[in-house]
């Protein structure tokens, strides 16, 4: 695996895939992945966090076949898009690569090199509109966590690089190894590509601080008491004011927001684990498997068994 970085790249864009593939090696990936870092000049680059990345290969010196070529994103993306030498090297290396991937705004670099023309691609949701306007030959879809179009993969924000990496590992070596890697990395689950970027968990934060704090608390404490009374007490406001804030900021009542968050988390556990529906219900704050079944029917229009068997994660009925 060749990771292409440049000055002011996001360090997590580099670290997430490298860590996932390195752990896959330790869990018996065969043949093992060989990890290399490459930069335009082959010299040290500094990430946007100020941490230097060294030991890089010079892009122009690379010959032969490449298994997986990954271009990262970050604050240095704009300069990378204008680096003709970098773009020329990506154009040279692309036909030699079994597959090509980008993380976050790394998709802009691939697009600038012409490697996304005529393809569907994604990037971080906040940059999707700009990408679509700058690169009209690219079909930009910011809904999924990652998109595969032929042998080209693009992923959304930094943590989605882990989701994409797990998908590539599963593609190469099967689901057991991918689950082992996710378990060691303490990943909540292996989220499928069709998981929405803008979801209960990933939506832009509400403008009101109280609602913002409470939605973060809800998604992190699904099994706790999340009744309107408990949430209002936590925020130090009345339940009436809580309902008014949630309705104005999110368009739903607190109870509906909690139920949606629990249903979404439960759907991912059903698809990403072998837990029984009763166990999933307990983890996500439902009183019983029957209560969970009713929540699935109300949120997705299908039962847990059907969600487990479905090829893709269903979309909410109101989404």
């Amino acid at each position: 695996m060749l990771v292409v970085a440049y000055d002011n790249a996001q360090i997590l864009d580099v670290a997430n895939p490298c860590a996932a593939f390195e752990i896959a090696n330790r869990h018996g990936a065969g043949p093992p992945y060989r990890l290399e870092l490459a930069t335009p000049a082959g010299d040290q680059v500094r990430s946007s966090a100020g941490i230097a990345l060294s030991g890089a290969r010079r892009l122009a010196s690379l010959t032969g076949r490449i298994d997986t070529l990954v271009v990262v994103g970050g604050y240095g993306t704009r300069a990378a898009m204008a680096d003709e030498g970098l773009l020329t090297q990506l154009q040279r290396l692309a036909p030699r690569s079994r597959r090509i991937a980008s993380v976050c705004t790394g998709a802009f670099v691939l697009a600038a090199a012409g490697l996304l023309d005529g393809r569907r691609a994604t990037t971080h949701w906040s940059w999707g509109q700009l990408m679509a306007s700058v690169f009209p030959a690219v079909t930009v879809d910011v809904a999924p966590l990652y998109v595969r179009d032929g042998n080209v993969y693009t992923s959304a924000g930094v943590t989605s690089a882990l989701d994409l990496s797990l998908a590539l590992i599963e593609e190469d070596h099967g689901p057991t190894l991918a689950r082992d890697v996710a378990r060691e990395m303490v990943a909540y689950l292996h989220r499928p590509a069709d998981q929405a970027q803008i979801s209960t968990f990933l939506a832009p934060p509400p403008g009101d601080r109280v609602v913002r704090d409470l939605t973060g608390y809800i998604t992190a404490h699904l099994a706790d008491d999340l009744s309107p009374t408990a949430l209002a007490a936590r925020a130090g406001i009345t339940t009436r004011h809580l309902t008014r804030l949630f309705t104005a900021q999110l368009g739903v009542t607190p109870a509906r927001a909690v139920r949606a968050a629990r249903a979404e988390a439960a759907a991912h556990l059903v698809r990403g684990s072998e837990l029984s529906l009763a166990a999933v219900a307990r983890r996500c704050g439902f009183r019983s498997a029957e209560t969970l079944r009713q929540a699935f029917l109300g949120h997705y229009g299908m039962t847990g068994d059907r969600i487990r068997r479905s090829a893709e994660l269903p979309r909410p009925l109101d989404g």
Side-chain angles (χ1 to χ4, degrees):
M1 183 181 76
L2 180 72
V3 177
V4 179
Y6 39 81
D7 278 322
N8 279 319
Q10 166 58 252
I11 194 168
L12 284 178
D13 287 11
V14 178
N16 268 323
C18 285
F21 284 97
E22 180 268 324
I23 291 171
N25 285 344
R26 288 196 279 107
H27 280 271
Y33 296 103
R34 186 164 62 93
L35 307 177
E36 287 190 298
L37 178 70
T39 61
D43 52 5
Q44 176 178 285
V45 294
R46 188 169 297 277
S47 71
S48 58
I51 297 173
L53 302 171
S54 58
R57 298 277 304 276
R58 182 169 174 261
L59 279 173
S61 71
L62 297 169
T63 59
R65 300 291 299 173
I66 296 172
D67 181 75
T68 306
L69 174 67
V70 180
V71 178
V72 304
Y75 291 117
T77 297
R78 188 179 297 276
M81 291 167 57
D83 186 338
E84 291 296 333
L86 170 59
L87 301 183
T88 297
Q89 291 304 318
L90 291 177
Q91 292 162 353
R92 180 181 69 87
L93 295 173
R96 305 183 182 190
S97 302
R98 179 169 70 95
R99 60 192 176 197
I100 304 162
S102 66
V103 181
C104 198
T105 54
F108 279 77
V109 183
L110 290 185
L115 301 178
L116 297 183
D117 287 357
R119 296 184 184 273
R120 176 171 166 259
T122 193
T123 187
H124 191 282
W125 59 266
S126 64
W127 294 100
Q129 186 174 358
L130 176 62
M131 184 173 175
S133 64
V134 174
F135 301 107
V138 181
T139 301
V140 179
D141 183 357
V142 296
L145 287 175
Y146 57 90
V147 167
R148 176 184 182 179
D149 189 324
N151 72 328
V152 179
Y153 302 72
T154 50
S155 61
V158 288
T159 58
S160 66
L162 176 56
D163 300 294
L164 175 57
S165 297
L166 292 171
L168 295 178
I169 291 168
E170 180 173 342
E171 183 180 288
D172 294 340
H173 302 288
T176 299
L177 181 59
R179 282 196 297 268
D180 288 343
V181 174
R183 188 176 298 114
E184 179 161 335
M185 297 186 78
V186 200
Y188 174 59
L189 44 78
H190 174 190
R191 298 179 294 179
D194 57 294
Q195 159 75 47
Q197 289 189 51
I198 308 301
S199 68
T200 301
F201 300 98
L202 299 175
D208 183 85
R209 181 187 60 80
V210 172
V211 179
R212 184 168 62 246
D213 291 347
L214 285 177
T215 52
Y217 180 81
I218 288 167
T219 56
H221 299 83
L222 293 172
D224 292 358
D225 179 4
L226 299 177
S227 65
T229 301
L231 292 174
R234 180 175 181 81
I237 58 177
T238 66
T239 55
R240 178 176 294 182
H241 187 46
L242 176 78
T243 299
R244 190 158 47 240
L245 286 175
F246 267 67
T247 302
Q249 293 285 310
L250 303 178
V252 295
T253 64
R256 284 194 63 187
V258 169
R259 193 172 181 85
R262 284 173 166 163
E264 183 176 323
H268 287 304
L269 275 178
V270 164
R271 284 179 51 80
S273 75
E274 298 178 358
L275 293 172
S276 67
L277 292 181
V280 171
R282 288 193 298 271
R283 288 195 180 195
C284 296
F286 293 101
R287 291 189 301 274
S288 65
E290 175 59 24
T291 307
L292 173 59
R293 188 182 77 85
Q294 292 297 328
F296 278 156
L297 287 172
H299 195 63
Y300 293 115
M302 61 178 66
T303 64
D305 287 337
R306 185 177 168 193
I307 290 173
R308 178 163 274 164
R309 295 193 305 268
S310 62
E312 296 182 345
L313 187 74
R315 292 188 179 276
L317 293 177
D318 59 357

